[in-house]
Each structure stands twice: as structure tokens, then as C-alpha cells.
Amino acid sequence: MQTSSRLTYIFLALVIVCEASLLLIDIGLFYAHRARVLSGGLYVLKDLIAIVMYAVLYYLIRMQLKRYALPDSPLWLEPAESFWKGFTSFGLLLSATVVLGWLLPRSGYDTQSPDGFWRAMSLQTVFKTHLITLGFGSLLLASLVVLERLIFFRRAKNTQSNFLAMVVLMLVASLSEIGSLPQEIGNPVSIAFAALAIVMMLVNAFRLSWVLPLSRSDKIRTLFLVIGILAELVPFYAMDCPDYFLAYSGTVGFFLSSITTFVAIYLATTLFSLLSYLPTSEALERKNSEVRNLYAMSRFASEVFDEEKIYSSLVSYACSAAGASSCGWLDLYQPFDEKSLNAEQAPHLPNLQWKTSKGYFKTVVRQNVSTEHLHEFAAKAHFLWEEMCHNPRQIRVDDIETDSRIVKDATPLTNFLRRLGRKRRKEPAKIVSTLSVPLISRANLIGVLTVAKDVEYGFVKDDVELISTFADQAAIAIQNSRLVREVIDKERMQQELAVAQKIQLRLLPHTPLAVPNYEMDSLSYPAFEVGGDFYDYLALSSSNSSICKFGVMIADVSGKGASAAFYTAELKGIFQSLCTLYPDTPSDLLIRANETLSRSLDRKSFVSALYAIFDVHSHTVRFSNAGHCPMVLLTAEGAQLVKVPGLALGLNAGDLFQRAIRTETLFLKPGDAVVFYTDGLIDAVNSAGEPFGFERLLTLLSAHKHRSASEIKQALFEAVNTFAGAGGSVKDDLTILVIKRCDTPASH
Amino acid sequence: MATFTSTVRTVGAVTVIDLSGDLDAHTSVQLERTIQDLIQKKHFNLIINFSNLNYISSAGLGVFMAFIDDVRANGGDIKFSNMPEKIYQIFDLLGFPMLYEIYKDEREAIEKFKTSATT
């Protein structure tokens, strides 16, 4: 900063020194002219000094402009501003010149002198020349900098080289004039280069990319300024200002003149370009805003998961796309089904409702429109919603007063009268033409976006396309947000199911009872996360700290999943509280359990249960069956089903259950076993669709009759799994329970 | 897996529902809807024909439990007919024969409705 400002001062001093010496030389020359003593060498010196001086001046002006506005500041691209500055400073200089010409009438050059020399009329001419050249020269150099910036806006590959070529050609043409006297200007070399320079000027003059992005008002302003500057050029030439340049210095004067030409050409092309772009600029601005909105909407669609927010921004984007004085609203669609809503309930819901034959629409967002207007519109155009749920597509109403779908007797005369009637109404109609587009996700109608305008035929093809695009984007966003919500809900459900599963597993006994001379083992697998199978052991009485009587319960709740799982918990409570009250007769317990369960089970559910009481001293089993799979008695002779009549729990609350139930007693010899199971075992199917069935069960158990309780259980479980294997399945919960009276110790 | 279907026929004052395929927890919803419709239309004399039914789960059985009280309260009944052996076993196991009338043949069931109507 320090060095650069010092450099500026040095350069400034250099300019002043050069200008002073030029002035002195010119004064000297003026008197030499009078004395008719002429030396051509002085003109070369003058040109050299002028070249140095204007080169430095150009550098200073460039630096100054750069400091005034950094390259990335918008001022460079604020052409209206630069043109305004150019216009005012040019105007000031011009008026100064006019005033000077009026104050000093004898300050021109006599170019028509007999000896061909340009003769200054007085010493004032020299001062005027210097003032004009310095003033306009600085301004022209500044305009060259500004034009360079404008030309470089959105530069293409050749922009820079074209511009440089033009400047170089101008310089070469000017330099070839070194040492020329004012009247000799225009040697063939410089004319040739100047001609080339003009070609390059034309090329550069069509670099006008900055015009298009200007706003409409800026374009108009710039247009007037350009006309103004072009108009200012007329007095500039009329007062022969370029002649003063040439008199000042052949080289610099020629260069400044060529800049003037370039400015004139450039301004001319700018003028035409502005004129041609002006009519389309409004459309262009609208297109720009459409692109911006579309971009904003698409970003929105991928980021926002809040449905309410999507609805409201969709409506506002659509309204802004439709233009001023438009209004819009979004109706969500909810088809009737027995789960959420039916046709009778729908009209009683809050919010605006449009009922159709297949579902109802609810207005969730509205913009610029009152509920009264909406009701008024809906009363007329009910067909719109009806049509949407049968065949979702874009529906356009060009004029609500005359549309044939709304008004049945549409003739040109009645239409005209109706339109006239609308014009006469005090309150202007808000909804005259409408456009409705459906929001569709995965082939399902989500809702309908309607945009309305207060003029007839308010929607053209472009609007329709744009608004449909908005609607499609929003549909995707809504779908995304719903999917995300579904995933979250599902995860939560799964977590809750996992908890339920843990709790349910805790309901089942962890370890079998330790009973002398008896061994028992069990397993239970739910078909889903939670199941409806239940079993339990309970010590009923004991002597000398060893159990002498115990109960075993196995049960299966109808249905699957969460409801079944809740009933198993209830079952455990009932069983635990009743078993000590009825320690001898299983049927008594089941009768009481049926009474309790009938009150709490829903009508569709029932429970099959089998309850057995084992007496360790007498080696007897007393058992009752409430509709459960018959248990298997496994003796030395083989396996057999033990069927006992009974009704499942919860089917009948009255005495039918009591009449049906029986209690049987079996005697267990050493080595005899009983096997309980649920229908998951019998119903397991193989790949051919055949069920496991009782036959296989009995055959398998017979083969394993000499094994321990754990081994029998394991063998049965493995057999079912192998049977279901690949292609088959165990459709239901599976529970197996084996209780065996041990062989006599001697047999081991 | 065989898909489940239920078709409704009217024989005089009696409505017969033919079942085929697998009646499990998923398909039972379908049968539930069918019977509910019939009850809403005041058809209370129902015969369920099981001749083509392949499998019935406990949820399937629950469907009949859900409606029997309603139907009987309106002077009608749900009777079963043409049960294959393996389906009957399941009904028998749970004690359904004590609660429902089960007939070998559909005609018997229709006759039974007729006689109960006249008396």
C-alpha cells in the first residue's frame, strides 16, 4: 500500500512534468510558427513525451478505477452506473468546452491557411488544446477501461485476444504517426492499420453479454443513457474536438480519436441490443424466476420431511408461478374404507371437506383465498373433485361462468351476458379460471393442487407444465416423508415387539421342577416375535422338602401375535392363582378358568388347554382336556393318544363346558412317559404340503420310548424340523413338554 | 399355498357359503367381511360348506365364534356341512360339535332350517 501510493505520486508528478514541458514546447512552437521558424524534430519529441504521459495516465486511471471498485464488486457489472458517470462527466466537459469557446472566441485553429499549416489563432488556442485533450483524454482512457470490463463479462475463448488485437492495432496505427504534423496525419500505413482496428472494433462491439441479465428498469435506464452519450458525441464532433487532439500530439491524438470511434461503435451496438432485448425482458425475468423456483422446489423436495411444510411451500410456489393476483389451495385425498373413515363420518370432520363418491378431500393449505370463496367455487365446480378421484389428471377451467361442465346451457349469448354480469358485480370475483393438478405417489392419489386466477383463460401451456412439475416434485417429497415416517414407526414397533418377546419368555418356566423319580423337559418356539403358546409347572404339595404332587399345564391361545401374547400372560395369572385352590381335580380348575376367561376374551378368541396333576406317591396322573391336542402316553408297549372330551376355554360361558369336561386317571409304570404338545407340531407341513400328523408323532415316540425326557423332546423337535425342512414350514407356535417316570434304579 | 376363496349362494331362505383353500389368520379377515355383509343384509340362516377347504387355523375358527351369538339372537343359526375328515378332527378336538350343528350333507342342513322355520 505504502509503495503503491508512493508510485502513484511519482507517476502523478511525471504526468505534471510531461504536461508542463509539452505546454512549454507548444508555447515555443506557437511563437516559432509566428516567426516561421519550424523544426520537425520537436514534434517527435512532443509525441514521445505525450506517449509517456498518456501511458502513465492510463495506468493511473486504471488503478484508480480498480481501487474504486474491486474486480469482483458488482460496480463493474453495473453498466447503468458507469454509463451514468460517463454521461455526466462527458456532459460537464462538453459544457466546459462550450463556455471556453464562448469566453475565448479566437481560440481555434485556422486549418485553411494558404501554406497548409494548422495555424493557432492565439496563444489561448494552446491552452484550450491542452485542457480539452487532458479532460477528454482522461475520460476516454477511463471509458476504455470500463468497456474492457463490459466486453470481458462472460468472456469466451477469443474475447481477450480480440480486444488486445484491437488495442494493438490502434496503437500501431497511432505510433506510425510519430513526428507527423497535425496536417500530415493520415499516412497510408496508419490508415491501413486503422482500418484493421475498425474491423476489430466491430468484432468487439458485439460482445454484449452484459445486456441480457440486466433488469428491465436497468435496461430502460441504460438505453436512455446510451442515447444521451451518443447525442453528446454530436457537439463533440461539431466543435472539432478531435482536431485539438491531433494538434496536441499526432500519436496520442490519433489514439484518442480511435477510442472515440470505438466508443461510438460500441454504444451504437449496445443501443440496438437494448432495443431488441427490451420487449422480451419481462418474459425473461419470469423464466428466470421460474427456474429459480423450480430449483428451490427440487431442493426442498429432497431435504424437507415435514409434510405440512411441503404442502404450504407447494402452494406458494405454484401461486408465484401463476403470477400476481392468483390464489391457490391444496386438498388432501382420503378414500373411504372401513379402517379410517366412512361416508357417514366424513362430513362431520373439522376443516373444509369436499365429499365425493369414493372419498373426501380436505383443504389443508390455502393462499390468498377465503373459505367463503372456496365454498362458493366448490358449489359450482364439484365435478372437479369427483373427476379427480376417478381419473386423476390435469383439469383446467377456462372460465367458471361459461364452462360447459359447470353450466349446462352454454350458448355464446348467455356466456356473454354472464361475463358481463360478473364485471358489474361490486365485489370482483377471485376465482375465474382454475388449474387443478393431482399429486400422485405410487399410483395413488394423494391430493389435488388447485391454482386460480381472476381472469378468464388465465393458464397457458407453460403454466400448466410448470405447476404440474411443482406438483410432481411435491408428490415425491410427500412420498419420501411418508416412507421415512413408516420406517420410524416400524422400527419402534419392532423394538416394542422385542420387549414383548422378552417379557413373554419370562412367563415360561426357566427350569423344570426337581421331583424325585421324575424327569421333565420342555421347549417352546413362537412362530413370530410373540406367540400364543403357554405352559407351566407348579408344585402343589410337598413333604420332607421334596415335591409329592405337581401340576402341568399346556395351553394354546387362538390367533397369533400381540393379542395372543397378552392372553398367555392372563392365563399364567389364572393358572397360578387357581392351582392351589383345586389341587386334586383338574376339571374343577378348568371350569373356573373358563368362567374367568369367558369374561375377558374377545368373542373370536378361545384357548385350548390341557391340565394334568401328577401324584408322585401313587404314580397317577389325573388330567382334563379343554379342547387341546390329546396327550401321548408312552409305555413299553408303544405310544398312544389319550383322548378325553372337552370344550376349549372361552367358547361357552355356561354349563355346556361343565357338562363336556371329564377327568381321567392314568397309572404310570416305571419308564412310562407322557408327552404334551401344541398343534404347531401336528400342523407342520413339508415341501409337498403334507402335515406332520398324529401317525408320524406316534411312530417317532415309540422309537424313542427308552430315552430320557430330554432326549425324547430333542428327538421330536429335530424330527419336526427335518420334516418341515426346506420348502415346508412350522406355521404355528411350537411347544413340546415331556414328563417321564424314571426306570427303577436297578434297570440303570 | 392354496388361495382362499369364499362364495355365497342362496338356496331359498338359506344362504350357503362355500369355502375353499386355506383359512388362516390372514384369510379369515376376508371370511369375516363376507359374513358381516350377510348379517347386515339380514341373512341369518347360514350354512358353511367345507367340502373344498384344505386347512383351518384357530383364527379361522374364531370367525364363527364372532358371529354365532348375533345370528342366534336374531333367530338364525350357523350350521356346518360337508366337512372333510381332517377339518372335522380339528373342530372335534376343540369341542365345536357341542356348540354347532354339523351335517354330512348340505341338503340335510337346509332341511333342518326348513323344519325349524315351520315349527
Side-chain angles (χ1 to χ4, degrees):
Chain A
M1 193 70 214
Q2 196 87 54
T3 48
S4 80
S5 69
R6 191 177 298 161
L7 199 68
T8 311
Y9 286 126
I10 292 170
F11 278 174
L12 214 55
L14 187 64
V15 169
I16 291 167
V17 169
C18 288
E19 174 56 28
S21 44
L22 276 174
L23 194 60
L24 283 175
I25 292 171
D26 272 347
I27 292 169
L29 277 173
F30 173 71
Y31 287 111
H33 265 278
R34 289 211 147 171
R36 297 183 193 280
V37 183
L38 276 172
S39 151
L42 261 181
Y43 281 92
V44 178
L45 179 68
K46 228 178 84 173
D47 278 341
L48 286 176
I49 294 173
I51 288 167
V52 170
M53 176 188 158
Y54 276 83
V56 171
L57 199 60
Y58 176 74
Y59 173 78
L60 284 177
I61 287 171
R62 205 187 162 89
M63 285 300 115
Q64 192 57 39
L65 283 176
K66 203 170 247 177
R67 193 170 312 152
Y68 186 63
L70 293 165
D72 56 345
S73 89
L75 187 88
W76 292 108
L77 305 177
E78 206 63 77
E81 194 74 11
S82 333
F83 278 103
W84 170 245
K85 286 203 172 121
F87 175 75
T88 49
S89 19
F90 205 90
L92 282 173
L93 277 174
L94 266 182
S95 29
T97 315
V98 170
V99 170
L100 209 62
W102 179 64
L103 285 176
L104 311 166
R106 284 184 49 78
S107 60
Y109 284 96
D110 179 10
T111 52
Q112 305 298 322
S113 66
D115 51 3
F117 281 104
W118 282 19
R119 203 173 285 280
M121 288 173 178
S122 67
L123 189 60
Q124 296 152 356
T125 312
V126 175
F127 289 105
K128 191 180 170 187
T129 305
H130 278 255
L131 278 175
I132 286 177
T133 313
L134 204 58
F136 283 110
S138 313
L139 191 61
L140 284 169
L141 290 179
S143 68
L144 188 65
V145 176
V146 172
L147 289 189
E148 181 191 331
R149 286 285 165 177
L150 290 179
I151 286 166
F152 283 4
F153 178 75
R154 277 208 197 132
R155 60 178 80 184
K157 221 179 194 171
N158 295 327
T159 312
Q160 197 164 20
S161 50
N162 283 347
F163 186 77
L164 280 177
M166 180 191 80
V167 174
V168 167
L169 285 169
M170 279 157 64
L171 280 175
V172 170
S174 310
L175 286 174
S176 65
E177 297 287 356
I178 280 191
S180 308
L181 295 178
Q183 63 275 17
E184 294 167 356
I185 299 287
N187 65 57
V189 180
S190 76
I191 294 290
F193 277 108
L196 284 175
I198 285 177
V199 173
M200 288 317 290
M201 280 177 198
L202 286 171
V203 170
N204 282 310
F206 286 97
R207 293 283 318 157
L208 291 160
S209 17
W210 54 273
V211 175
L212 194 60
L214 284 187
S215 68
R216 190 180 154 80
S217 60
D218 269 351
K219 271 184 193 147
I220 293 171
R221 235 178 104 208
T222 313
L223 181 71
F224 281 110
L225 289 171
V226 167
I227 292 171
I229 299 174
L230 282 172
E232 282 173 343
L233 284 175
V234 175
F236 176 78
Y237 279 109
M239 288 190 293
D240 292 329
C241 289
D243 286 356
Y244 290 89
F245 293 169
L246 295 178
Y248 183 87
S249 148
T251 312
V252 170
F254 196 89
F255 188 70
L256 292 178
S257 300
S258 48
I259 294 179
T260 318
T261 315
F262 178 54
V263 169
I265 293 175
Y266 196 82
L267 288 181
T269 54
T270 305
L271 180 66
F272 289 119
S273 147
L274 280 170
L275 279 175
S276 64
Y277 280 136
L278 208 53
T280 56
S281 72
E282 205 170 8
L284 184 86
E285 268 165 43
R286 237 190 96 184
K287 272 272 171 282
N288 272 345
S289 83
E290 280 171 11
V291 170
R292 267 201 303 277
N293 278 341
L294 209 59
Y295 171 71
M297 188 72 206
S298 67
R299 267 192 46 178
F300 198 80
S302 60
E303 280 171 10
V304 177
F305 292 117
D306 179 1
E307 268 187 51
E308 301 290 319
K309 228 170 154 185
I310 298 170
Y311 300 151
S312 58
S313 36
L314 169 65
V315 173
S316 80
Y317 282 130
C319 282
S320 72
S325 84
S326 63
C327 59
W329 65 93
L330 179 71
D331 305 313
L332 281 193
Y333 177 62
Q334 174 78 60
F336 297 132
D337 54 40
E338 68 279 343
K339 251 184 216 160
S340 50
L341 268 177
N342 56 43
E344 284 81 46
Q345 288 171 299
H348 306 297
L349 287 168
N351 219 325
L352 284 170
Q353 307 296 333
W354 320 119
K355 204 182 127 192
T356 66
S357 56
K358 280 175 86 176
Y360 79 100
F361 287 89
K362 185 168 89 173
T363 305
V364 283
V365 183
R366 61 192 158 78
Q367 189 171 320
N368 292 340
V369 65
S370 66
T371 44
E372 288 73 34
H373 278 122
L374 268 182
H375 276 296
E376 201 183 308
F377 173 71
K380 285 181 194 161
H382 190 263
F383 84 95
L384 206 150
W385 286 279
E386 194 70 49
E387 190 75 28
M388 273 293 177
C389 55
H390 287 103
N391 179 18
R393 67 200 153 84
Q394 297 156 8
I395 298 178
R396 199 172 69 190
V397 176
D398 286 327
D399 185 355
I400 187 170
E401 296 288 344
T402 60
D403 194 281
S404 60
R405 290 165 293 192
I406 297 168
V407 195
K408 293 286 167 261
D409 58 332
T411 62
L413 182 68
T414 52
N415 287 353
F416 178 74
L417 288 176
R418 283 206 187 95
R419 275 186 201 158
L420 211 65
R422 177 168 60 215
K423 297 256 156 56
R424 283 241 210 85
R425 235 180 289 161
K426 267 182 208 154
E427 195 191 350
K430 222 169 158 50
I431 302 171
V432 177
S433 56
T434 63
L435 171 68
S436 303
V437 287
L439 274 69
I440 295 170
S441 140
R442 285 184 283 181
N444 289 324
L445 183 66
I446 302 177
V448 177
L449 168 73
T450 308
V451 186
K453 273 182 150 179
D454 56 359
V455 289
E456 305 94 13
Y457 296 90
F459 295 95
V460 294
K461 193 162 161 273
D462 278 5
D463 301 323
V464 177
E465 273 170 14
L466 188 68
I467 292 169
S468 313
T469 314
F470 282 149
D472 291 345
Q473 292 272 8
I476 294 170
I478 291 168
Q479 188 184 328
N480 279 347
S481 107
R482 288 184 181 175
L483 282 178
V484 167
R485 213 174 45 198
E486 251 171 53
V487 169
I488 292 170
D489 282 356
K490 206 172 165 189
E491 250 166 45
R492 210 188 55 219
M493 289 274 282
Q494 262 164 359
Q495 271 173 5
E496 278 171 15
L497 268 182
V499 173
Q501 188 180 22
K502 244 187 233 170
I503 292 171
Q504 203 187 21
L505 280 177
R506 225 174 286 159
L507 291 178
L508 300 177
H510 297 287
T511 47
L513 293 174
V515 181
N517 288 325
Y518 281 84
E519 49 179 40
M520 54 192 88
D521 203 356
S522 59
L523 63 80
S524 182
Y525 284 101
F528 299 102
E529 277 85 352
V530 288
D533 277 7
F534 170 72
Y535 71 92
D536 206 358
Y537 314 101
L538 222 107
L540 296 174
S541 67
S542 53
S543 61
N544 304 330
S545 77
S546 73
I547 295 163
C548 53
K549 206 180 211 180
F550 63 95
V552 175
M553 156 80 88
I554 184 164
D556 180 2
V557 182
S558 73
K560 291 190 187 86
S563 63
F566 278 114
Y567 290 134
T568 60
E570 190 183 358
L571 215 55
K572 175 157 180 134
I574 292 172
F575 174 54
Q576 295 233 331
S577 56
L578 291 180
C579 66
T580 45
L581 292 175
Y582 303 97
D584 297 314
T585 325
S587 57
D588 289 351
L589 181 139
L590 289 177
I591 288 166
R592 282 302 306 277
N594 182 49
E595 283 168 12
T596 317
L597 277 170
S598 296
R599 282 196 292 270
S600 63
L601 286 178
D602 75 63
R603 286 200 295 181
K604 276 190 274 183
S605 302
F606 51 86
V607 180
S608 71
L610 199 156
Y611 182 45
I613 297 171
F614 289 79
D615 191 316
V616 177
H617 294 309
S618 62
H619 298 299
T620 51
V621 196
R622 283 170 68 76
F623 65 97
S624 291
N625 190 343
H628 199 76
C629 299
M631 67 180 200
V632 178
L633 177 65
L634 194 58
T635 61
E637 285 82 44
Q640 65 185 93
L641 291 171
V642 186
K643 291 185 180 172
V644 189
L647 203 56
L649 302 169
L651 286 184
N652 178 278
D655 37 324
L656 202 56
F657 184 89
Q658 281 190 41
R659 273 189 273 137
I661 197 132
R662 299 277 181 280
T663 298
E664 297 283 331
T665 310
L666 284 174
F667 176 73
L668 293 180
K669 294 195 286 285
D672 285 358
V674 283
V675 179
F676 304 92
Y677 54 90
T678 54
D679 52 6
L681 179 80
I682 301 297
D683 291 341
V685 287
N686 64 6
S687 53
E690 296 170 40
F692 189 75
F694 295 106
E695 293 281 320
R696 281 191 188 80
L697 173 69
L698 293 178
T699 319
L700 189 103
L701 288 176
S702 301
H704 293 276
K705 58 191 175 193
H706 298 300
R707 300 285 191 70
S708 72
S710 298
E711 285 165 345
I712 293 170
K713 173 209 82 178
Q714 201 56 37
L716 192 52
F717 180 61
E718 276 162 20
V720 172
N721 276 335
T722 324
F723 177 75
S729 68
V730 181
K731 287 192 261 187
D732 207 345
D733 310 330
L734 173 64
T735 301
I736 301 168
L737 209 153
V738 182
I739 294 160
K740 183 166 178 143
R741 183 183 168 193
C742 298
D743 289 342
T744 44
S747 72
H748 273 285
Chain B
M1 189 196 276
T3 48
F4 173 79
T5 53
S6 61
T7 45
V8 178
R9 288 183 281 136
T10 314
V11 182
V14 184
T15 307
V16 183
I17 305 170
D18 291 297
L19 306 183
S20 75
D22 287 10
L23 181 55
D24 56 24
H26 297 288
T27 53
S28 64
V29 181
Q30 200 180 323
L31 179 62
E32 227 176 285
R33 216 173 283 169
T34 310
I35 298 182
Q36 195 156 28
D37 276 357
L38 289 172
I39 290 176
Q40 261 172 13
K41 291 179 199 153
K42 311 267 179 227
H43 295 286
F44 297 117
N45 292 344
L46 306 176
I47 296 173
I48 316 289
N49 187 322
F50 288 87
S51 55
N52 290 318
L53 195 74
N54 183 43
Y55 168 80
I56 187 162
S57 80
S58 53
L61 293 164
V63 176
F64 307 117
M65 296 303 302
F67 297 109
I68 188 68
D69 290 348
D70 268 4
V71 171
R72 285 187 181 156
N74 283 293
D77 196 12
I78 302 178
K79 298 186 203 293
F80 301 147
S81 78
N82 302 68
M83 256 186 210
E85 184 54 29
K86 58 181 175 181
I87 302 282
Y88 180 76
Q89 275 183 7
I90 296 167
F91 276 83
D92 186 37
L93 201 61
L94 291 162
F96 268 62
M98 278 175 259
L99 301 166
Y100 294 85
E101 294 170 25
I102 301 177
Y103 296 94
K104 283 244 163 8
D105 192 67
E106 189 186 302
R107 250 173 302 160
E108 275 179 63
I110 295 170
E111 284 304 314
K112 186 74 187 166
F113 269 121
K114 275 184 189 161
T115 51
S116 64
T118 48
T119 52

